[in-house]
C-alpha cells in the first residue's frame, strides 16, 4: 500500500536564497557561499571557487528535500531499503544534480553574472569521486538514484575511501598506477555526523557467562577497535522531492593521540592507533596478493557492514521501534559477496548485544537479508582462510560454526548418507587450507538470491548453488541489471536527449515504456537524418577529446568501434586486438575491398597485480603505435586507448559509439551494464550470447544485433571434450599469420618475446576460448563492414536499439526488487510550501 502523506515543511525549507530555483536565487546562493563558505571575493573568483560555491548552493536545495524526507519517515514509519555495497561509482555530482532539479539553464545564467560563459567550464573542475571502480559500483550508483526517483525510502551504505583505486597513466604503452587524490580540492557534497559514530572491533577473544535469566551468553572482547564516522551524500530523484542518501563510513581511531608516548619521545607510537584505524578507509580494494592486503580487505568489509547494521538498529531504537521488528523496517540487500559478513554480524548484534535468543535472531536475519550474486568466477566469490578469519573475527567464526552445524544437520535429514552434498554446501571449505565460504554464508542467510541477467541467474542455480537451489528453489530469482537513463542519456547526450524530449515529451527519462514509440519514425528519412546528426555531434566531441588526450586525429565520420570496460582475459580485449592485426595485414596486402574506415577505441583499467591484463593494454598500445603511424592505414584504421576510464570519460564515449563490443566468453559475464548504456545511445551490439547480451538480443531483434561465438553449452562441451587450441591455430592461416607477426616484434619495437606470455597461453591452454571464437569474430566484423555501407539501414538499427532499450532502465530493475524481493512501497514527499511549487515548475518546463 502506497503512503502519500504531506509534510508541513519548516519555513527554512522555503527560504528562496537556500532553496529557490530561479537564476536570481542561485546567484544569491552562489554569492553567499563564495563569501561565507569559500572566503572568496565575488569580483575575481576562481573556477574552483565557483564550482564549490555553486555546489554548496545546489546542496542546500537537496538538503531541504532530504530533511523533509526524514521528517516524513519519522511521522510515518515505513520499510526502507539498506543497500550494502563495497563501492558506489557515483561520478561527478554537480551536473547530475542540476539535471535532477531541472535548473541547468538557471545555473548557466547565474554563472554568467560572474563572467563565466560556459557552465561546462565549471563542471570540468569537479574531480571524479574515488568511491568505486567498475560495473558493480556503477550499478549501485544507478540503483540508489532509481530508488530516489521511484520515491522508495533507501540508504546506500558503503565506505568513504580517502583514495580511489588508482589513476591510470600510459607510459611506453604500459599501465602505470598513481594515487587517486580525489579529495585534494575538497568535496562539497557530503555532510558529516561525528556524533553518529559506531564502534567496530577486531581480534581479541570471547568468554561465556550467564545472563540474569540463567541463559548462556557470549561476550566478545576485541583486541582493537575503530570508530566509523558517517558521511552522508544526498541522492535526489528525478522530478520528485524524494532525496535519499549514501551513508559512507570513514574510519578513525578511538584514541587518535597517545600523549604519554609522545612525551616519552616515541612519536610514532603516539599516532600508531590513528594510522592503523584510518587505513580501513584509505583506499578502495587494496591489493590482496599479500597477507596484509587480504587482512585489510576483510577488515574493511566487516568495518562498513558492522557500522551499517549498528546504524539501522540504532535508527529503530531512536524511533521507539522494538529491535524485534527489524525485518518490517529494513530490507537489507547485499551487493555481491563483499558484505556477506552481514549474516554473522547481524546475528552477533541481535544475540550478544540485544540479548535475543538464537532462533528469533536467525528468523529476523533470514527475513531481512537478500543477496545479489554478480559473478561465477571463483576468485571473486571470496573465501577467507580460517586462521585469518579467527584472528580478526573470533566471535563471528563461532557463529558461523554454529550456523553450519545446524544447517548441515538439516541437509543430513534431507539427504541421508550424502557426504558429497554436505561437503559442497558447508560454510567451511575443508579442502586444502580450510576457509570460510562467504558466498555460501550469504546464500544461507538470505531470503532471496538473485543473479543479474536471465542467463546468469540460470547458471547461478545450475552451476554455482545447485544444492542450495534444490533445498530452497523459492529463494532463487532473477533481476536483470539496469542503468539510469538520466545520467547516461539525458546528461551524457544532450543532442539525443533534446530529440527524445521533442518526440516523447519531457518525461521520457522516467517513462522507458514509451520509448517504443520511436519505432514509428524508423522509416522517416528526415528523422533518421536528425538521428544521425545527434550521433555525429557526439562523435565530434569524442574526436576532439582524442586529439587533446592522445594527440591523434581521427575521422568522426568513420565507424566508431568501441570496447570500454575493465581489462580482463574473460572480457577478451585481446580477441579484438587479434582481429585488428588481421585487418592491418589485409590493408598491407591491399585486400581492402568491402572494408570501411574504422576508429577502434579501447579504455579500461587492469588490476595492479594482474600481469596478463596489463600485457593486453601494452599489446593494444603497441598495435596503435604501428597502425596510427602507417600511411597505408591513414584512411581506413585508427586505434585509440583512452587512459583512466571513469564516469566522466564514459559520458563522452557511450554517446559516440556506433558499435558496442560485448565479446566476453559465453557464460562468464554475469550481466554487463556498459552494453545497456551503448544500446540506449543507439549503438549496435557485436556480441556473444553472454550476460545481458541475451536479453538485448531478445529485446532488439536479430536484425539489429550482430551475434557470433560459442554458446555457454558449447563452451562447456569443448572444455569437457578436451579443448586443444593449438589445433585451432593450425587450422587457421589468418590466425597463424597474426600470431607470427606478434611474435616477430612488429608491435613491440622488435622485442619478439614481449607478448609471449599472452600468446603462449592462448596456443597452449586458451582458458577463455579466444582462438576458438576468432574466425567467427572475424566474419562478424566483416558483416559489420557490410552493414555500415548501408547508412540508412544502420541508422534504422541505431534508432531501434534506443527505442527497445527501455527494459534496461534501472527503474525497471528497482521495481522488480521492490515488488518481488524487498516488499517495499513508495513514499512520496509532497512539500506543503513554495518549495514543492518550485520543483514542479522547473521540472515540467
Amino acid at each position: 500500500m502506497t503512503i502519500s502523506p504531506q509534510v508541513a515543511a519548516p519555513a527554512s525549507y522555503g527560504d528562496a536564497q537556500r532553496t529557490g530555483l530561479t537564476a536570481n536565487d542561485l546567484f544569491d546562493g552562489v554569492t553567499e557561499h563564495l563569501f561565507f563558505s569559500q572566503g572568496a571575493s565575488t569580483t575575481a573568483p576562481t573556477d574552483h571557487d565557483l564550482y564549490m560555491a555553486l555546489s554548496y548552493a545546489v546542496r542546500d536545495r537537496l538538503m531541504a528535500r532530504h530533511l523533509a524526507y526524514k521528517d516524513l519517515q519519522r511521522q510515518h514509519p515505513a520499510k526502507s531499503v539498506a543497500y550494502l555495497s563495497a563501492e558506489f561509482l557515483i561520478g561527478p555530482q554537480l551536473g547530475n544534480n542540476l539535471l535532477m532539479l531541472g535548473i541547468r539553464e538557471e545555473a548557466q545564467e547565474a554563472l554568467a553574472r560572474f563572467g563565466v560563459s560556459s557552465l561546462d567550464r565549471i563542471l570540468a573542475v569537479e574531480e571524479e569521486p574515488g568511491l568505486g571502480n567498475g560495473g558493480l559500483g556503477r550499478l549501485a550508483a544507478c540503483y540508489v538514484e532509481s530508488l530516489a526517483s521511484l520515491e522508495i525510502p533507501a540508504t546506500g551504505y558503503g565506505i568513504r575511501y580517502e583514495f580511489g583505486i588508482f589513476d591510470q597513466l600510459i607510459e611506453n604503452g604500459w599501465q602505470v598506477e598513481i594515487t587517486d587524490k580525489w579529495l585534494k580540492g575538497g568535496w562539497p557534497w557530503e555532510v558529516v555526523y561525528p556524533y553518529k559514530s559506531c564502534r567496530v572491533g577486531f581480534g581479541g577473544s570471547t568468554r561465556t557467562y550467564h545472563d540474569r535469566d540463567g541463559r548462556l551468553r557470549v561476550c566478545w572482547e576485541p583486541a582493537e577497535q575503530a570508530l566509523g564516522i558517517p558521511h552522508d551524500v544526498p541522492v535526489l530523484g528525478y522530478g520528485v522531492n524524494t532525496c535519499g542518501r549514501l551513508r559512507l563510513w570513514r574510519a578513525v581511531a578511538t584514541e587518535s593521540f597517545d600523549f604519554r608516548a609522545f612525551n616519552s619521545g616515541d612519536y610514532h607510537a603516539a599516532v600508531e592507533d590513528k594510522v592503523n584505524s584510518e587505513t580501513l578507509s584509505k583506499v578502495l580494494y587494496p591489493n590482496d596478493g599479500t597477507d596484509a592486503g587480504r587482512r585489510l580487505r576483510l577488515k574493511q568489509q566487516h568495518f562498513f557492514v558492522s557500522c551499517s547494521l549498528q546504524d539501522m538498529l540504532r535508527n529503530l531504537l531512536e524511533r521507539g521501534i522494538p529491535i524485534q521488528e527489524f525485518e518490517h523496517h529494513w530490507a537489507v540487500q547485499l551487493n555481491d559477496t563483499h558484505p556477506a559478513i552481514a549474516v554473522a554480524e547481524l546475528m552477533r548484534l541481535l544475540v550478544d548485544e540485544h540479548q535475543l535468543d538464537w532462533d528469533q535472531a536467525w528468523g529476523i536475519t533470514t527475513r531481512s537479508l537478500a543477496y545479489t550474486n554478480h559473478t561465477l568466477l571463483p576468485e571473486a566469490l571470496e573465501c577467507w582462510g580460517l586462521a585469518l578469519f579467527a584472528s580478526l573475527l573470533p566471535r563471528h567464526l563461532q557463529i558461523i560454526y554454529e550456523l553450519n552445524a545446524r544447517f548441515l544437520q538439516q541437509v543430513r535429514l534431507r539427504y541421508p548418507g550424502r557426504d558429497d552434498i554436505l561437503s559442497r554446501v558447508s560454510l567451511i571449505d575443508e579442502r586444502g587450507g580450510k576457509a570460510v565460504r562467504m558466498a555460501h554464508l550469504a546464500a544461507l542467510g538470505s531470503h532471496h538470491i538473485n543473479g543479474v541477467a536471465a542467463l546468469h541467474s540460470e547458471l547461478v542455480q545450475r552451476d554455482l548453488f545447485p544444492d542450495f537451489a534444490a533445498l530452497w528453489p523459492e529463494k532463487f530469482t532473477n533481476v536483470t541489471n539496469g542503468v539510469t537513463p538520466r545520467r547516461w542519456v539525458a546528461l551524457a547526450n544532450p543532442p539525443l536527449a533534446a530529440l527524445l524530449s521533442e518526440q516523447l515529451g519531457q518525461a521520457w527519462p522516467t517513462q522507458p515504456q514509451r520509448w517504443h514509440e520511436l519505432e514509428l519514425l524508423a522509416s522517416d528519412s528526415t528523422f533518421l537524418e536528425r538521428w544521425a546528426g545527434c550521433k555525429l555531434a557526439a562523435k565530434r566531441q569524442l574526436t576532439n577529446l582524442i586529439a587533446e588526450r592522445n594527440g591523434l586525429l581521427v575521422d568522426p565520420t568513420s565507424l566508431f568501434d568501441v570496447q570500454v570496460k575493465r581489462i580482463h582475459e574473460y572480457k577478451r580485449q585481446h580477441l579484438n586486438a587479434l582481429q585488428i592485426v588481421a585487418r592491418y595485414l589485409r590493408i598491407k596486402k591491399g585486400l581492402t575491398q568491402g572494408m570501411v574506415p574504422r576508429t577502434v577505441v579501447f579504455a579500461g583499467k587492469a588490476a595492479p597485480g594482474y600481469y596478463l591484463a596489463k600485457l593486453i593494454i601494452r599489446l593494444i598500445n603497441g598495435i596503435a603505435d604501428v597502425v596510427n603511424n602507417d600511411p597505408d592505414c591513414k584512411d581506413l584504421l585508427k586505434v585509440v586507448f583512452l587512459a583512466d576510464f571513469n564516469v566522466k570519460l564514459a559520458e563522452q564515449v557511450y554517446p559516440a559509439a556506433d558499435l558496442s563490443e560485448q565479446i566476453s566468453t559465453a557464460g562468464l559475464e554475469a550481466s554487463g551494464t556498459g552494453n545497456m548504456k551503448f544500446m540506449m545511445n543507439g549503438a549496435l551490439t557485436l556480441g556473444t550470447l553472454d550476460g545481458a547480451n541475451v536479453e538485448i538480443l531478445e529485446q532488439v531483434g536479430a536484425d539489429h544485433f550482430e551475434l557470433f561465438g560459442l554458446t555457454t553449452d558449447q563452451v562447456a562441451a569443448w572444455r569437457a571434450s578436451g579443448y586443444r587450441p593449438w589445433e585451432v591455430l593450425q587450422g587457421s592461416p589468418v590466425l597463424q599469420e597474426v600470431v607470427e607477426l606478434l611474435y616477430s616484434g612488429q608491435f613491440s619495437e622488435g622485442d619478439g618475446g614481449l607478448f609471449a606470455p599472452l600468446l603462449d597461453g592462448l596456443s597452449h591452454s586458451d582458458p577463455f576460448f579466444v582462438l576458438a571464437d576468432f574466425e567467427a569474430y572475424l566474419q562478424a566484423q566483416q558483416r559489420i563492414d557490410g552493414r555500415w555501407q548501408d547508412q540508412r539501414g544502420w541508422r534504422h538499427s541505431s534508432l531501434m536499439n534506443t527505442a527497445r532499450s527501455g527494459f534496461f532502465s534501472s527503474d525497471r530493475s528497482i521495481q522488480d526488487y521492490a515488488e518481488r524481493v524487498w516488499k517495499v512501497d513508495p513514499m512520496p514527499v509532497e512539500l506543503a510550501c513554495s518549495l514543492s511549487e518550485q520543483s514542479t515548475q522547473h521540472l515540467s518546463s
Side-chain angles (χ1 to χ4, degrees):
M1 178 179 176
T2 299
I3 304 170
S4 185
Q6 190 174 70
V7 179
S12 60
Y13 293 4
D15 179 357
Q17 187 164 306
R18 291 285 189 178
T19 64
L21 300 179
T22 69
N24 287 337
D25 296 330
L26 283 177
F27 175 76
D28 290 341
V30 172
T31 300
E32 177 184 359
H33 283 293
L34 280 173
F35 278 135
F36 301 117
S37 300
Q38 289 301 104
S41 168
T42 59
T43 56
T46 66
D47 284 359
H48 183 265
D49 285 333
L50 286 170
Y51 159 71
M52 294 292 285
L54 178 57
S55 296
Y56 281 128
V58 171
R59 193 188 74 177
D60 290 342
R61 284 135 184 87
L62 302 188
M63 290 308 298
R65 289 158 176 78
H66 181 64
L67 292 173
Y69 163 76
K70 289 173 70 175
D71 287 347
L72 179 58
Q73 284 186 308
R74 280 191 291 268
Q75 296 169 21
H76 302 274
K79 193 174 187 179
S80 296
V81 175
Y83 197 83
L84 272 60
S85 180
E87 53 174 299
F88 289 91
L89 190 59
I90 60 175
Q93 293 295 285
L94 179 55
N96 193 67
N97 284 323
L98 291 174
L99 173 71
M100 293 295 166
L101 289 166
I103 56 172
R104 183 182 171 93
E105 292 181 6
E106 288 77 5
Q108 175 69 75
E109 184 180 335
L111 289 174
R113 302 185 196 180
F114 295 98
V116 176
S117 59
S118 170
L119 172 62
D120 288 339
R121 190 179 103 193
I122 303 303
L123 294 178
V125 172
E126 184 168 3
E127 287 282 337
E128 176 95 8
L131 300 169
N133 174 38
L136 184 78
R138 187 52 236 169
L139 179 79
C142 286
Y143 280 1
V144 293
E145 189 260 71
S146 279
L147 281 161
S149 294
L150 294 173
E151 302 181 290
I152 295 172
T155 295
Y157 283 107
I159 298 177
R160 181 192 182 268
Y161 300 103
E162 184 177 347
F163 302 108
I165 188 165
F166 61 84
D167 284 337
Q168 180 193 57
L169 301 179
I170 301 297
E171 294 183 0
N172 300 318
W174 291 96
Q175 170 179 292
V176 175
E177 303 94 19
I178 62 172
T179 306
D180 176 11
K181 303 175 183 176
W182 69 280
L183 287 167
K184 62 181 181 290
W187 200 45
W189 299 104
E190 61 185 0
V191 180
V192 187
Y193 295 94
Y195 61 92
K196 291 283 188 179
S197 66
C198 294
R199 188 176 294 260
V200 181
F202 303 97
S205 59
T206 63
R207 62 177 175 84
T208 58
Y209 69 97
H210 289 87
D211 64 17
R212 66 184 66 179
D213 297 321
R215 292 175 298 185
L216 185 66
R217 295 289 182 180
V218 179
C219 177
W220 177 27
E221 297 173 340
E224 60 175 300
Q225 294 183 317
L227 292 179
I229 307 295
H231 293 239
D232 284 6
V233 182
V235 180
L236 181 64
Y238 182 83
V240 297
N241 289 314
T242 298
C243 187
R245 67 179 177 186
L246 289 180
R247 173 154 280 190
L248 306 174
W249 300 96
R250 176 173 59 91
V252 299
T254 54
E255 293 292 338
S256 60
F257 189 75
D258 187 335
F259 196 71
R260 180 177 298 177
F262 183 84
N263 278 342
S264 68
D266 193 344
Y267 303 134
H268 175 76
V271 294
E272 186 175 9
D273 285 348
K274 173 181 171 65
V275 172
N276 290 339
S277 295
E278 291 181 0
T279 300
L280 289 171
S281 55
K282 278 290 181 190
V283 65
L284 168 65
Y285 294 151
N287 188 348
D288 61 357
T290 65
D291 289 341
R294 286 189 289 274
R295 188 177 186 85
L296 179 55
R297 278 213 188 189
L298 180 54
K299 289 180 75 172
Q300 281 187 331
Q301 292 173 10
H302 173 60
F303 166 72
F304 96 85
V305 166
S306 180
C307 286
S308 304
L309 290 171
Q310 290 182 56
D311 191 56
M312 293 176 227
L313 291 165
R314 176 175 57 197
N315 175 272
L316 295 184
L317 295 175
E318 288 177 348
R319 291 189 288 160
I321 298 171
I323 294 298
Q324 290 83 348
E325 295 184 17
F326 184 92
E327 68 200 75
H328 302 298
H329 294 272
W330 288 105
V332 183
Q333 188 68 35
L334 310 180
N335 191 30
D336 216 4
T337 53
H338 307 119
I341 192 63
V343 177
E345 174 64 358
L346 185 53
M347 284 295 290
R348 186 192 70 82
L349 291 169
L350 293 175
V351 173
D352 295 353
E353 302 295 329
H354 294 280
Q355 304 290 292
L356 272 62
D357 65 55
W358 183 276
D359 290 339
Q360 185 179 27
W362 184 237
I364 292 170
T365 298
T366 55
R367 290 190 292 270
S368 301
L369 303 184
Y371 164 51
T372 299
N373 173 274
H374 283 276
T375 183
L376 302 173
L377 296 177
E379 64 266 27
L381 293 174
E382 297 199 318
C383 290
W384 298 111
L386 287 189
L388 170 63
F389 205 98
S391 69
L392 282 178
L393 302 171
R395 175 55 179 148
H396 298 75
L397 188 56
Q398 290 178 346
I399 291 171
I400 290 170
Y401 280 152
E402 180 64 22
L403 290 174
N404 199 40
R406 295 179 182 221
F407 170 48
L408 293 183
Q409 184 57 28
Q410 285 183 290
V411 178
R412 288 188 189 95
L413 295 175
R414 178 78 174 268
Y415 302 106
R418 292 295 304 273
D419 289 346
D420 57 326
I421 296 179
L422 292 175
S423 176
R424 290 197 301 266
V425 302
S426 175
L427 303 184
I428 308 299
D429 187 348
E430 303 282 354
R431 300 167 301 178
K434 294 184 179 181
V436 180
R437 293 164 160 164
M438 301 306 288
H440 284 46
L441 179 63
L444 178 64
S446 298
H447 57 80
H448 278 83
I449 303 160
N450 72 279
V452 290
L455 174 62
H456 173 239
S457 294
E458 177 186 327
L459 296 175
V460 165
Q461 294 186 61
R462 190 189 76 187
D463 298 342
L464 185 60
F465 294 126
D467 299 304
F468 286 87
L471 285 166
W472 300 300
E474 70 281 0
K475 276 192 176 189
F476 289 82
T477 188
N478 173 63
V479 180
T480 298
N481 282 347
V483 300
T484 170
R486 274 78 66 177
R487 164 81 67 177
W488 295 113
V489 182
L491 182 64
N493 198 342
L496 180 58
L499 187 60
L500 294 177
S501 294
E502 178 185 319
Q503 295 298 322
L504 302 176
Q506 296 293 328
W508 69 265
T510 56
Q511 297 177 342
Q513 69 277 7
R514 291 194 54 211
W515 299 356
H516 280 282
E517 295 173 20
L518 292 171
E519 295 181 33
L520 300 174
L521 300 165
S523 301
D524 186 327
S525 298
T526 302
F527 185 79
L528 289 178
E529 285 290 336
R530 296 180 65 193
W531 188 267
C534 293
K535 179 63 72 175
L536 184 58
K539 292 171 71 174
R540 283 177 172 151
Q541 184 173 332
L542 184 58
T543 297
N544 293 337
L545 182 72
I546 292 170
E548 177 187 330
R549 286 194 173 196
N550 292 46
L552 180 68
L553 297 179
V554 302
D555 180 3
T557 66
S558 64
L559 189 160
F560 275 27
D561 177 352
V562 183
Q563 187 176 16
V564 292
K565 55 184 71 231
R566 178 168 56 94
I567 309 297
H568 196 290
E569 290 170 274
Y570 89 84
K571 294 178 184 287
R572 304 202 295 189
Q573 286 91 349
H574 47 333
L575 174 59
N576 195 349
L578 293 179
Q579 77 84 20
I580 294 172
V581 175
R583 185 170 289 261
Y584 172 72
L585 285 167
R586 282 181 59 198
I587 293 172
K588 296 302 289 183
K589 294 175 182 178
L591 303 176
T592 59
Q593 184 175 359
M595 190 180 292
V596 301
R598 284 199 193 215
T599 298
V600 186
V601 178
F602 293 90
K605 296 179 179 180
Y610 190 174
Y611 176 73
L612 286 180
K614 297 172 87 166
L615 191 59
I616 289 172
I617 292 176
R618 176 64 182 87
L619 172 62
I620 293 166
N621 283 301
I623 294 170
D625 286 343
V626 172
V627 167
N628 297 338
N629 290 291
D630 190 327
D632 292 342
C633 298
K634 180 180 179 182
D635 298 322
L636 283 174
L637 184 62
K638 298 290 186 195
V639 180
V640 181
F641 189 94
L642 289 168
D644 205 31
F645 188 59
N646 56 20
V647 174
K648 238 180 181 180
L649 178 56
E651 287 174 356
Q652 299 190 64
V653 171
Y654 288 121
D658 294 306
L659 184 66
S660 163
E661 296 267 2
Q662 307 299 327
I663 60 176
S664 54
T665 311
L668 294 183
E669 186 73 83
S671 170
T673 52
N675 46 8
M676 302 169 187
K677 297 162 196 168
F678 281 121
M679 184 188 187
M680 281 186 182
N681 281 281
L684 274 69
T685 300
L686 168 60
T688 53
L689 280 176
D690 194 28
N693 290 354
V694 176
E695 287 151 287
I696 289 176
L697 176 59
E698 290 173 354
Q699 292 292 320
V700 76
D703 291 342
H704 312 294
F705 185 109
E706 192 61 58
L707 178 66
F708 82 98
L710 299 173
T711 66
T712 302
D713 290 340
Q714 288 170 336
V715 167
W718 277 49
R719 186 174 282 122
S721 64
Y723 171 45
R724 294 174 288 277
W726 55 90
E727 294 182 356
V728 175
L729 180 59
Q730 291 166 2
S732 171
V734 174
L735 188 53
Q736 287 182 50
E737 191 175 8
V738 167
V739 171
E740 287 170 5
L741 190 61
L742 290 169
Y743 271 124
S744 76
Q746 174 76 8
F747 304 105
S748 49
E749 299 174 328
D751 183 354
L754 181 62
F755 301 124
L758 190 62
L759 298 172
D760 290 351
L762 290 176
S763 60
H764 295 150
S765 60
D766 192 17
F768 301 104
F769 294 81
V770 172
L771 302 190
D773 272 344
F774 176 78
E775 288 290 344
Y777 183 52
L778 213 58
Q779 293 167 16
Q781 290 285 14
Q782 291 168 3
R783 292 194 296 272
I784 291 294
D785 283 332
R787 283 178 181 255
W788 184 255
Q789 292 176 50
D790 175 14
Q791 276 296 293
R792 181 182 174 86
W794 188 280
R795 293 167 184 175
H796 174 83
S797 289
S798 172
L799 182 146
M800 296 299 282
N801 267 272
T802 299
R804 296 177 178 179
S805 66
F807 175 80
F808 300 104
S809 167
S810 50
D811 292 354
R812 189 270 314 149
S813 303
I814 290 300
Q815 285 171 334
D816 282 352
Y817 277 112
E819 294 170 7
R820 295 194 284 110
V821 179
W822 302 329
K823 310 297 184 184
V824 295
D825 293 317
M827 189 176 71
V829 178
E830 300 180 5
L831 300 171
C833 67
S834 59
L835 182 58
S836 181
E837 298 168 8
Q838 295 165 10
S839 298
T840 303
Q841 177 183 345
H842 281 79
L843 286 164
S844 63
S845 64

